[in-house]
Amino acid sequence: MKLEILTKTENNKIQKEIILQLRDLMNNKNLEPGDKLPSERTLSEKFGVSRSSVREAIQKLEFYGILISKPQSGTFVAEIGQVAMNGMVNDILRLDEPDFKSLVETRILLELKTVRLAARRRTDDDLELMKNALDAYKVKVENGEDAVQEDLLFHLAIAKASGNSTMNTFMLIITPEILTNFEEYHVCDKDMAFKGIQEHQDIFNAIKEQNPQLAKEKMKVHFKNLYQYCYNI
């Protein structure tokens, strides 16, 4: 058995080729709207690629709504017209991997809205989630430990408290990659983690008091370094 280790660029190229071949199957009427997709094994043999590459391509098409996964039934072609489907696939193929700066900019715009919604809609359970993450973050920082996961949990708790499932999903997609790349891009210094303790507390207090404007202002303070990185302020 040959083990192939692909670079990210190579893997993306293979995914695009698989998506093109799936599109051709749909255009040639081999796959109609509502039809069940062949198994991953069948497709991998047909396309001459690994099953994992097929799986990733299918997952991408599922994410954009071109394919639909039904538990215990399989994966099906969505009820989308051919013209619309071709347009969507072309858009997907043109998408580039988002660079770090773009992710950061998106996060700023997103969180300034979610924190306002969280201040209006938070429940006692939401406050408890935020408080637990805040306390865990403080303990890790004061012990000189990496608190990236705890920082992530605090911000995801805010997104959940916003009551908007779409915003929550976007946060789940972009925030982990941003936080794990902070050091690589030198966005923050060593003192930022300690500053984050009070900044998180200020954001939490504003949400608890249900003061949307204050919550937004405190989040802006927390994002000072990110603003400087994105806009060279």
Side-chain angles (χ1 to χ4, degrees):
M1 179 178 173
K2 184 180 178 182
L3 180 63
E4 293 186 0
I5 301 176
L6 302 175
T7 66
K8 190 172 184 179
T9 300
E10 290 171 334
N11 191 49
N12 286 340
K13 183 179 179 182
I14 290 173
Q15 279 190 44
K16 288 184 177 182
E17 290 173 352
I18 295 170
I19 290 172
L20 280 172
Q21 292 183 79
L22 287 171
R23 183 191 65 181
D24 290 342
L25 287 176
M26 295 178 204
N27 283 335
N28 295 330
K29 304 298 183 181
N30 292 314
L31 282 174
E32 301 270 9
D35 283 354
K36 183 178 179 179
L37 218 62
S39 68
E40 288 178 3
R41 181 177 180 178
T42 299
L43 290 173
S44 69
E45 291 175 354
K46 182 178 181 64
F47 299 154
V49 297
S50 68
R51 290 178 64 177
S52 62
S53 294
V54 170
R55 187 179 308 117
E56 289 174 6
I58 289 174
Q59 287 173 345
K60 180 171 285 189
L61 292 177
E62 286 177 351
F63 180 81
Y64 291 103
I66 293 174
L67 299 177
I68 298 173
S69 178
K70 298 179 181 180
Q72 300 181 338
S73 297
T75 303
F76 297 81
V77 180
E79 299 286 347
I80 301 174
Q82 185 174 340
V83 174
M85 185 273 294
N86 278 321
M88 292 172 69
V89 169
N90 289 337
D91 286 342
I92 292 169
L93 294 174
R94 282 196 295 265
L95 288 174
D96 294 321
E97 288 293 319
D99 59 83
F100 181 66
K101 187 173 180 178
S102 296
L103 288 169
V104 169
E105 187 172 39
T106 301
R107 182 191 173 189
I108 290 172
L109 297 171
L110 191 60
E111 285 217 63
L112 291 179
K113 185 62 177 178
T114 57
V115 76
R116 287 171 59 88
L117 292 176
R120 293 192 183 102
R121 300 173 177 174
R122 97 295 184 276
T123 65
D124 289 341
D125 288 341
D126 292 326
L127 290 176
E128 185 177 356
L129 278 177
M130 281 181 260
K131 186 67 165 59
N132 289 341
L134 193 157
D135 290 343
Y137 175 84
K138 182 178 180 181
V139 169
K140 282 284 189 75
V141 171
E142 290 180 342
N143 288 338
E145 300 176 47
D146 187 335
V148 168
Q149 292 185 31
E150 288 70 24
D151 188 10
L152 167 62
L153 289 175
F154 179 73
H155 288 275
L156 291 180
I158 293 173
K160 179 180 178 299
S162 74
N164 186 306
S165 60
T166 302
M167 286 188 173
N168 194 21
T169 299
F170 282 146
M171 283 294 295
L172 284 167
I173 293 171
I174 69 172
T175 302
E177 186 170 350
I178 291 171
L179 292 178
T180 53
N181 282 282
F182 268 10
E183 289 186 6
E184 178 182 347
Y185 290 91
H186 307 291
V187 177
C188 52
D189 55 33
K190 294 180 180 179
D191 294 331
M192 187 175 177
F194 280 96
K195 292 177 182 177
I197 295 174
Q198 186 58 53
E199 291 170 357
H200 282 180
Q201 184 67 55
D202 291 341
I203 294 167
F204 174 81
N205 291 343
I207 293 173
K208 184 177 180 180
E209 295 167 8
Q210 295 191 296
N211 188 328
Q213 189 57 39
L214 180 61
K216 179 181 177 181
E217 292 304 317
K218 294 302 181 183
M219 186 65 81
K220 280 186 174 180
V221 171
H222 186 50
F223 281 163
K224 179 181 177 182
N225 284 55
L226 295 184
Y227 272 114
Q228 291 174 337
Y229 178 78
C230 280
Y231 307 118
N232 297 316
I233 298 173

